[in-house]
Amino acid sequence: MNNLVFTLIFALMATFAQAQVTTLPLWEGTPPLQNASDLKEEVVTQDIIRIANVQTPTIEVYLPSKQIATGQAVVIFPGGGYGILAYDKEGTDFAKWLNANGIAGIVVKYRLPISKSLTDPKEVPLMDAQRAIRLVRQNAAQWNIDPAKVGVLGFSAGGHLASTLSTQYKHEVERPKDAIDALSARPDFSILAYPVISFRDAAVHSGSRKNLIGENASQELMDRFSGELNVNPETPPTFLVHAQDDKGVPIENSLLYYTALHKNGVTASLHIYPTGGHGFGFGIGNGSVSTWRDVLLAWMGDL
């Protein structure tokens, strides 16, 4: 029955959303902080599509039909511990679902810090995330998007990237700039699903921390990439969802971030489900967590 429901959902998406799909590179030529090389992207398709060793970061843009478009857009960062991207389960599947609800979905194939072609790996995911937001705003009129309604959605390590963007959207490194860099990289809202937040020992997802900043990172680096320490009153409104029985990324990550948001007067909505584990995605057939997307849509409607 669950498979039948899932099939019907995507049939409805195809019928009503009539998504227009466009893929654009984030950067012209060799991306910043990357050496030209002959390294190849790796794509493995089994139960899900897993992408590794990204060399040409892109955005894959899914647009709803104009008849149902709300003007909102969500830039999506799939998870995978900064080692791979769960590209369909936490990316394109959600973009299609958003389209069925009149919302543009933009999936970011961002570079992963374990790639040997990168010159400063820890800076690259955030740089790609900033560029993705700016590209959406540059094309907002063409894509029927309100540039003041561009949010982010991140899963697991993608949630870490979304929270880092939400708190460090002004962070810059030395590199050539172009006209797109004049646009704001601040998300208008943030959706974090079972996110990695803290790189401190009590709540850390060690794989994400190791892949992004290394095994022997300084306390300064661990603090910089611990989202709960970088929240300020300008951090965008945030929706958090997590399962209490998550053994991969403890719920303390969402709790820490929510507490920091609350202390800084940032509008936030926290949803903890008793079961669901880690990486529940849509949550279909997984008990009460399967309703989290309905709660999210209501929250987005109130923004």
Side-chain angles (χ1 to χ4, degrees), residues 202-268:
V204 69
H205 180 254
S206 58
S208 296
R209 182 174 71 181
K210 176 184 175 182
N211 285 340
L212 185 63
I213 61 175
E215 285 189 288
N216 302 306
S218 67
Q219 189 64 52
E220 180 181 8
L221 265 185
M222 286 191 285
D223 289 350
R224 181 192 155 194
F225 286 103
S226 292
E228 78 277 16
L229 303 181
N230 295 286
V231 171
N232 61 61
E234 301 304 314
T235 302
T238 302
F239 179 100
L240 297 119
V241 60
H242 222 120
Q244 189 175 1
D245 65 347
D246 191 329
K247 305 300 183 187
V249 177
I251 61 168
E252 282 76 12
N253 284 272
S254 285
L255 297 174
L256 286 166
Y257 198 69
Y258 175 83
T259 300
L261 292 165
H262 181 64
K263 286 182 177 178
N264 281 273
V266 178
T267 300

Side-chain angles (χ1 to χ4, degrees), residues 64-251:
S65 62
K66 290 186 178 181
Q67 291 87 341
I68 64 170
T70 66
Q72 286 181 316
V74 176
V75 178
I76 306 169
F77 303 110
Y82 285 120
I84 61 102
L85 301 178
Y87 194 72
D88 56 348
K89 179 183 179 182
E90 297 175 345
T92 54
D93 286 353
F94 272 86
K96 295 169 188 175
W97 170 74
L98 288 165
N99 275 189
N101 290 282
I103 302 163
I106 296 96
V107 185
V108 187
K109 187 171 72 175
Y110 56 93
R111 289 173 291 168
L112 299 159
I114 60 173
S115 174
K116 297 184 183 304
S117 63
L118 304 181
T119 60
D120 192 353
K122 70 181 185 303
E123 302 292 348
V124 167
L126 176 58
M127 178 182 294
D128 284 355
Q130 291 170 319
R131 185 70 168 189
I133 288 276
R134 289 171 172 145
L135 271 177
V136 172
R137 289 202 166 106
Q138 182 196 39
N139 290 281
Q142 176 185 347
W143 293 343
N144 199 31
I145 291 169
D146 184 337
K149 294 182 179 180
V150 180
V152 292
L153 165 59
F155 298 86
S156 193
H160 182 268
L161 179 54
S163 66
T164 303
L165 176 63
S166 296
T167 54
Q168 300 186 44
Y169 51 87
K170 291 183 179 179
H171 179 78
E172 295 291 346
V173 297
E174 188 65 32
R175 63 174 177 83
K177 301 291 179 68
D178 59 22
I180 298 174
D181 289 304
L183 299 171
S184 172
R186 179 186 180 274
D188 295 301
F189 56 91
S190 182
I191 305 159
L192 308 179
Y194 38 90
V196 176
I197 294 292
S198 184
F199 277 2
R200 293 183 156 196
D201 288 336
V204 69
H205 180 254
S206 58
S208 296
R209 182 174 71 181
K210 176 184 175 182
N211 285 340
L212 185 63
I213 61 175
E215 285 189 288
N216 302 306
S218 67
Q219 189 64 52
E220 180 181 8
L221 265 185
M222 286 191 285
D223 289 350
R224 181 192 155 194
F225 286 103
S226 292
E228 78 277 16
L229 303 181
N230 295 286
V231 171
N232 61 61
E234 301 304 314
T235 302
T238 302
F239 179 100
L240 297 119
V241 60
H242 222 120
Q244 189 175 1
D245 65 347
D246 191 329
K247 305 300 183 187
V249 177
I251 61 168

